[in-house]
């Protein structure tokens, strides 16, 4: 492929120009505070949430007090009256405009704006933006922003009525009408810009040039214009991201590292395993073994169901590295999980291998003397398997020969944290583990620079888990839960009770990106996100009704200890705020059967393995996301006895939260649930941070919807890079990709 860009000039700074140079310091400050905007590019990529039409009124039925809305409505009546003079004797007035959607009505209140009764006469249709309030049992917008629809010259009435009007994600200080004007100003200031997508790719896929698509998405003449523009912008985003990921992968493949070959250590480990590895485990192991022996750094993601044996796969990789004297570091997100991993690995190794490899724990909460001894063993190379939390990232922690980095539950760590650990070795191999199955489109988008191995099958002997959704308002059924728990305990088994809060008003471990609400309000349902014409009629997502009180560990513990059904039972709490020793003591006692019921937060979400635990009750289950619930459920049924999971909720039967709970109850297939999760919540939450470490940056691309676009963009990026690996002949594309790459990878992608 020949060069497709003449001149080879650097990317102009139009998109990167500071906002204040164009819109002024005060307005730039408002945009930064409201939306985190800093440049013109940030502003022009602030795409409309939806499009209204002058001829279509907004349905008022979905409005909720406290949310900022933008409405197309018609004036039904106008009333103006004088108020008592103020303390300085000045006249005051109140103008009340009642607007309608054809069914319901809302009052607009304007103080000392008598001109509104002339501007907003009966029958006028306009755009109104403000915050929904209630006054004397009536919906009200106080001092809303108003935009009259002035009929443009040269456009007939029907075309004018149907022309889409962009409605933006907005705030009270930066309304949608202000954003319309600011975006137009920014686009004029940017002018023409070269497009990072090569012309041949644009032509082959019938895409609009970047700036043309941006202009059209903000000012479509007809509905189809908005769809065409969004498609082109989504394609551009997908192409840039896939080019970045593929270029990153190409760079990673050049990083030389010491080959690691499995030998006697792995053979001894496999021979002592009390079970047979599954076909999926063997396949993942073979792929990892080939990576380790290749002489270039491995970058592989192993995704698997809860309890599918990912830790065993990782341990086998560690043994291959240890064979030649190398060290492996497993980074876990919580201390409880790190301790569980260490015990699991040590138990699997057996006494002889454990004595040789000296598996070592390093966490920030270890006693100083114990932590110092651990760090000395690590620095001396005696500890060839190291398990820890963020303490592994400390500058004081050094390795003799770090050959493999294992990241467990990678979504809990930022890129900078993962790289800080990798930097402690010379291009160590990287193995990423996740028990949260990843939909294919997410894998291509967020992990496109990693090889992926999937473990679907569960080891033999795992028992099935039954899951039920329980309405807390059904008192008889709710109380029956504790009777059912009594029956399990009578059989000599154990149980978990999980709460989203530690004490009243103190939530722990309810991840906002996983469908929960860290602030405690709402039901965790997905917030709306515009993706083309249409929409709900409001700028903000509809909020839930006032939420039921959140169940907490302190209150629940007290109630269960007083419950006749559980009289005499040993019930203990487990939360993230407890000391290391206290948490460890509870888990040790629970594993030993000395505790019957643990009342916990999500500190037990992953890694906790107590085969005798057969029942889990999740209170306020609507506060958790699909993957969290699936992970929690995976803590039971890990032995010979079947598991039972009760999801207790006060959520509305028709809410998104109830849809989420019913989905979890309907299947044990985490991959199926991952697709449900993606469909319900959208990729904004599921993606989290892309590999570059910043915000996902996806403005038009919707991973749940645009799988075909992502696949086509990846194929096009592969073709471009195959012909021009360093993008020497695609200057604008190279500079755009450089903006995403880390400094080391950037250095590798330069013209010779």
């Amino acid at each position: 492929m020949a060069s497709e860009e003449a001149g080879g000039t650097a990317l102009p700074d139009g998109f990167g120009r500071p906002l204040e140079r164009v819109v002024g310091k005060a307005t730039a400050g408002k945009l930064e505070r409201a939306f985190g905007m800093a440049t013109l590019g940030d502003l022009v990529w602030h795409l409309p949430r939806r499009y209204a039409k002058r001829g279509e009124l907004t349905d008022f039925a979905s409005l909720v007090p406290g949310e900022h809305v933008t409405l197309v409505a018609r004036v039904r009546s106008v009333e103006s009256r004088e108020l008592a003079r103020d303390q300085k004797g000045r006249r005051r007035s109140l103008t009340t405009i009642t607007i309608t959607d054809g069914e319901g009505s809302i009052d607009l209140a304007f103080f000392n704006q008598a001109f509104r009764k002339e501007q907003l006469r009966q029958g006028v249709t306009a755009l109104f933006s403000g915050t929904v309030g209630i006054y004397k049992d009536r919906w009200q917008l106080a001092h809303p922003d108003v935009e009259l629809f002035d009929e443009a010259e040269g456009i007939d009435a029907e075309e004018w009525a149907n022309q889409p009007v962009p409605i933006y994600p907005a705030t009270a200080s930066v309304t949608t009408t202000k954003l319309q004007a600011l975006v137009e100003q920014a686009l004029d200031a940017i002018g023409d810009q070269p497009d990072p997508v090569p012309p041949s790719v644009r032509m082959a896929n019938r895409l609009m040039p970047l700036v043309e698509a941006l202009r059209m998405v903000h000012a479509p003449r007809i509905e189809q214009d908005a769809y065409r523009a969004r498609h082109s912008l989504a394609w551009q985003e997908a192409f840039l991201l896939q080019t970045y990921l593929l270029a990153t992968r190409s760079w990673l493949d050049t990083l030389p590292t010491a080959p690691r070959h499995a030998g006697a250590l792995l053979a001894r480990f496999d021979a002592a395993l009390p079970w047979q590895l599954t076909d999926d485990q063997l396949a993942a192991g073979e792929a990892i073994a080939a990576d380790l022996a290749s002489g270039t750094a491995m970058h592989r993601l192993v995704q698997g169901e809860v309890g599918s044996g990912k830790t065993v796969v990782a341990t086998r990789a560690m043994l291959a590295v240890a064979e030649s004297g190398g060290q492996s570091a497993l980074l876990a997100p919580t201390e409880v999980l790190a301790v569980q991993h260490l015990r699991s690995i040590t138990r699997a190794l057996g006494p002889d291998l454990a004595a040789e490899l000296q598996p070592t724990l390093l966490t920030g909460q270890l006693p100083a003397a114990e932590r110092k001894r651990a760090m000395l063993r690590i620095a001396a190379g005696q500890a060839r398997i190291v398990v820890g939390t963020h303490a592994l990232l400390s500058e004081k922690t050094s390795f003799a020969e770090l050959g493999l980095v294992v990241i467990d539950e990678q979504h809990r760590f930022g890129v900078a944290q993962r790289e800080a650990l990798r930097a402690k070795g010379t291009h160590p191999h990287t193995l990423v583990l996740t028990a949260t199955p990843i939909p294919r489109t997410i894998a291509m988008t967020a992990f496109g620079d990693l090889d992926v191995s999937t473990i679907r099958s569960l080891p033999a002997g795992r028992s099935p888990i039954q899951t039920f959704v329980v309405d807390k308002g059904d008192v008889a059924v709710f109380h029956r839960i504790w009777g059912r728990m009594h029956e399990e305990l009578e059989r000599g088994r154990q149980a978990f009770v999980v709460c989203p809060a530690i004490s009243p008003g103190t939530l722990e471990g309810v991840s906002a990106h996983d469908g929960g609400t860290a602030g405690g309000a709402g039901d965790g349902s997905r917030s709306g996100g515009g993706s083309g014409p249409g929409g709900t009629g409001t700028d903000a997502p509809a909020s839930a009704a006032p939420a039921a009180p959140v169940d907490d560990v302190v209150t629940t513990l007290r109630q269960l200890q007083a419950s006749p059904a559980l009289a005499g039972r040993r019930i203990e709490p487990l939360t993230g705020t407890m000391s290391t020793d206290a948490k460890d003591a509870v888990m040790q006692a629970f594993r030993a059967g000395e505790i019957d019921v643990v009342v916990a937060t999500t500190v037990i979400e992953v890694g906790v393995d107590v085969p005798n635990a057969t029942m889990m009750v999740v209170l306020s289950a609507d506060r958790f996301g699909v993957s969290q619930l699936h992970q929690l459920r995976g803590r039971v049924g890990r032995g010979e006895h079947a598991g039972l999971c009760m999801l207790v909720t006060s959520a509305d039967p028709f809410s998104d939260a109830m849809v989420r709970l019913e989905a979890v109850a309907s299947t044990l297939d985490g991959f199926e649930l991952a697709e449900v999760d993606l469909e319900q919540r959208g990729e904004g939450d599921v993606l989290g941070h892309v590999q570059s470490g910043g915000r996902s940056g996806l403005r038009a691309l919707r991973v749940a919807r645009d799988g075909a676009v992502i696949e086509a963009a990846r194929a096009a990026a592969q073709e471009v890079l195959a012909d021009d690996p360093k993008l020497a002949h695609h200057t604008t594309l190279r500079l755009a990709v450089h903006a995403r790459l880390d400094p080391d990878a950037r250095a590798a992608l330069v013209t010779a």
Side-chain angles (χ1 to χ4, degrees):
M1 186 185 299
S3 170
E4 295 179 325
E5 295 178 15
T9 57
L11 184 68
D13 67 353
F15 288 104
R17 288 177 64 188
L19 276 171
E20 64 181 68
R21 295 187 187 177
V22 175
V23 303
K25 189 172 183 178
T27 299
K30 289 182 180 179
L31 292 171
E32 196 281 329
R33 288 188 295 274
F35 309 108
M37 295 181 188
T39 66
L40 291 185
D42 293 335
L43 179 53
V44 299
W45 274 96
H46 187 72
L47 304 183
R49 181 184 295 280
R50 65 182 181 91
Y51 298 87
K53 293 179 182 177
R54 298 174 180 88
E56 293 180 1
L57 305 183
T58 302
D59 182 4
F60 291 172
S62 62
L63 299 185
V64 174
E67 71 180 8
H68 187 85
V69 298
T70 297
L71 312 171
V72 179
R74 182 177 296 116
V75 175
R76 190 170 74 182
S77 63
V78 181
E79 178 186 343
S80 185
R81 61 189 178 90
E82 295 294 321
L83 302 176
R85 294 176 181 263
D86 64 17
Q87 292 180 345
K88 295 184 178 180
R90 292 175 298 199
R91 293 176 179 241
R92 296 192 304 148
S93 66
L94 170 63
T95 301
T96 302
I97 311 289
T98 300
I99 58 175
T100 180
D101 63 351
E103 297 288 340
S105 63
I106 295 177
D107 293 336
L108 313 179
F110 298 98
F111 290 92
N112 300 324
Q113 295 186 19
F115 70 92
R116 295 292 188 184
K117 62 184 178 182
E118 296 298 325
Q119 179 193 45
L120 299 172
R121 298 183 301 277
Q122 184 177 6
V124 167
T125 299
L127 202 65
F128 304 95
S129 299
T131 301
V132 179
I134 298 177
Y135 179 70
K136 291 185 177 179
D137 296 325
R138 292 270 304 163
W139 296 114
Q140 184 188 76
L141 302 183
H143 285 276
D145 191 66
V146 178
E147 181 184 4
L148 296 176
F149 291 140
D150 297 323
E151 188 166 346
E153 295 183 8
I155 301 179
D156 65 35
E158 183 177 355
E159 182 179 346
W160 174 84
N162 290 321
Q163 185 173 347
V165 178
I167 306 298
Y168 293 89
T171 68
S173 61
V174 187
T175 65
T176 195
T177 51
K178 290 179 182 176
L179 282 164
Q180 289 172 17
L182 289 170
V183 167
E184 184 177 355
Q185 186 180 357
L187 284 168
D188 288 343
I190 285 173
D192 291 329
Q193 298 289 316
D195 195 330
V197 180
S200 62
V201 175
R202 285 204 309 273
M203 291 175 62
N205 294 280
R206 300 181 179 181
L207 306 177
M208 301 167 61
L210 172 60
V211 174
E212 182 182 338
L214 284 169
R215 292 187 187 282
M216 185 171 285
V217 81
H218 289 294
R221 294 200 60 179
I222 57 175
E223 207 168 41
Q224 287 73 16
D225 286 347
Y227 285 120
R228 283 184 57 219
R230 277 190 180 270
H231 175 74
S232 291
L233 294 174
W235 224 101
Q236 205 238 29
E237 284 189 307
F239 179 76
L240 283 180
L241 182 55
Q242 293 303 323
T243 304
Y244 151 70
L245 290 169
L246 291 167
T248 299
R249 180 53 198 258
S250 179
W251 168 69
L252 292 172
D253 286 342
T254 68
L255 300 179
T257 194
R260 306 287 180 175
H261 299 280
L265 293 176
L266 180 57
R268 289 164 57 191
F269 177 80
D270 286 349
L273 278 177
W275 65 84
Q276 280 202 324
L277 296 170
T278 66
D279 289 343
D280 286 349
Q281 287 174 322
L282 288 170
E286 289 171 3
I288 291 168
D291 290 343
L292 294 175
S294 68
T296 58
M298 171 179 71
H299 288 80
R300 181 170 292 274
L301 169 71
V302 175
Q303 61 171 337
E305 279 286 12
V306 175
S308 61
K310 296 178 296 298
T311 305
V312 171
V313 170
T315 303
R316 297 179 79 242
M318 293 178 188
L319 289 167
V321 171
E323 188 72 36
S324 54
Q327 296 170 284
S328 298
L330 191 160
L331 179 62
T334 68
E335 188 171 22
V336 168
L337 182 53
V339 171
Q340 290 288 314
H341 271 314
L342 183 77
R343 291 204 175 114
S344 175
I345 291 170
T346 303
R347 191 165 56 247
L349 290 174
D352 293 338
L353 279 175
E356 290 180 46
L357 303 179
Q358 294 192 35
T360 297
L361 178 70
L362 183 64
T363 71
Q365 297 189 47
L366 284 176
E370 189 176 340
R371 186 166 63 248
K372 184 177 180 179
R373 286 194 297 270
M375 292 174 68
L376 287 173
R377 284 198 301 273
I378 296 167
Q382 296 171 328
R384 281 188 272 173
I385 294 179
V386 181
V387 181
T389 55
H390 294 77
L392 293 176
L393 312 179
S394 168
E395 292 182 2
K396 297 179 180 178
T397 305
S398 62
F399 292 79
E401 187 184 340
L402 181 60
L404 171 64
V405 169
V406 182
I407 309 293
D408 192 28
E409 295 304 317
Q410 58 79 34
H411 60 277
R412 306 283 191 96
F413 299 99
V415 170
Q417 292 171 315
R418 300 197 293 269
E419 290 306 307
L421 182 54
R422 292 186 68 252
K424 295 180 182 292
T426 303
H427 304 150
H429 298 286
T430 302
L431 185 61
V432 175
L433 308 178
T434 179
T436 304
I438 303 166
R440 185 168 180 272
T441 50
I442 291 287
M444 283 192 298
T445 306
F447 306 105
D449 56 339
L450 299 177
D451 292 314
V452 179
S453 293
T454 300
I455 304 177
R456 282 182 174 270
S457 55
L458 297 179
R462 288 299 301 270
S463 302
I465 304 171
Q466 287 186 299
T467 307
F468 300 95
V469 179
V470 176
D471 180 0
K472 193 173 183 179
D474 190 330
V475 177
V477 175
F478 177 66
H479 284 297
R480 171 62 184 139
I481 290 174
W482 312 116
R484 184 69 180 81
M485 184 174 288
H486 168 78
E487 294 168 8
E488 287 294 302
L489 301 182
E490 281 291 296
R491 297 186 181 105
R493 297 164 198 165
Q494 294 162 280
F496 291 103
V497 178
V498 179
C499 306
I502 301 171
S503 57
T506 309
L507 272 68
E508 174 184 292
V510 181
S511 169
H513 81 269
D514 197 21
T517 48
D523 66 0
S525 58
R526 175 173 65 88
S527 62
S531 58
T536 64
T538 65
D539 279 339
S543 303
V550 180
D551 289 290
D552 66 90
V553 171
V554 172
T555 305
T556 302
L557 180 68
R558 185 170 60 248
Q559 292 171 343
L560 294 185
Q561 288 172 334
S563 169
L566 301 176
R569 294 297 179 179
R570 297 157 296 181
I571 307 172
E572 295 292 339
L574 182 65
T575 72
T577 59
M578 294 165 59
S579 71
T580 300
D581 289 344
K583 284 184 288 193
D584 191 45
V586 170
M587 284 310 303
Q588 287 276 56
F590 193 54
R591 275 194 65 87
E594 297 166 4
I595 293 174
D596 298 303
V597 182
V598 165
V599 183
T601 56
T602 53
V603 71
I604 56 101
E605 180 182 345
V606 290
V608 173
D609 186 9
V610 181
N612 193 47
T614 56
M615 185 171 179
M616 170 167 289
V617 179
V618 183
L619 300 176
S620 296
D622 47 285
R623 296 306 181 103
F624 301 98
V626 169
S627 64
Q628 276 187 310
L629 292 171
H630 185 55
Q631 290 275 7
L632 288 167
R633 172 173 61 183
R635 299 310 105 205
V636 297
R638 301 177 73 87
E640 58 181 310
H641 305 296
L644 176 64
C645 180
M646 301 290 195
L647 306 177
V648 181
T649 181
S650 300
D652 186 282
F654 302 102
S655 66
D656 283 348
M658 187 60 77
V659 171
R660 190 163 65 244
L661 298 180
E662 295 290 357
V664 173
S666 69
T667 181
L668 294 173
D669 187 335
F671 292 87
E672 181 181 333
L673 290 175
E675 295 291 349
V676 171
D677 202 23
L678 175 60
E679 181 180 347
Q680 190 185 46
R681 294 191 292 114
E683 73 286 339
D685 292 328
V686 178
L687 266 180
H689 294 279
V690 294
Q691 296 298 85
S692 60
R695 295 187 311 168
S696 71
L698 300 184
R699 309 297 181 88
L701 186 67
R702 293 292 176 263
V703 177
R705 180 196 66 203
D706 295 330
V709 169
I710 293 167
E711 292 196 31
R714 189 171 180 84
Q718 286 172 329
E719 184 178 340
V720 169
L721 286 167
D723 190 60
D724 185 10
K726 293 183 179 293
L727 300 179
H729 304 298
H730 298 81
T731 307
T732 306
L733 175 58
R734 186 178 74 248
L735 292 170
V737 170
H738 275 202
R740 288 180 176 268
L741 292 172
D742 65 64
D744 289 337
R746 268 184 219 168
L749 189 66
V750 295
T751 18

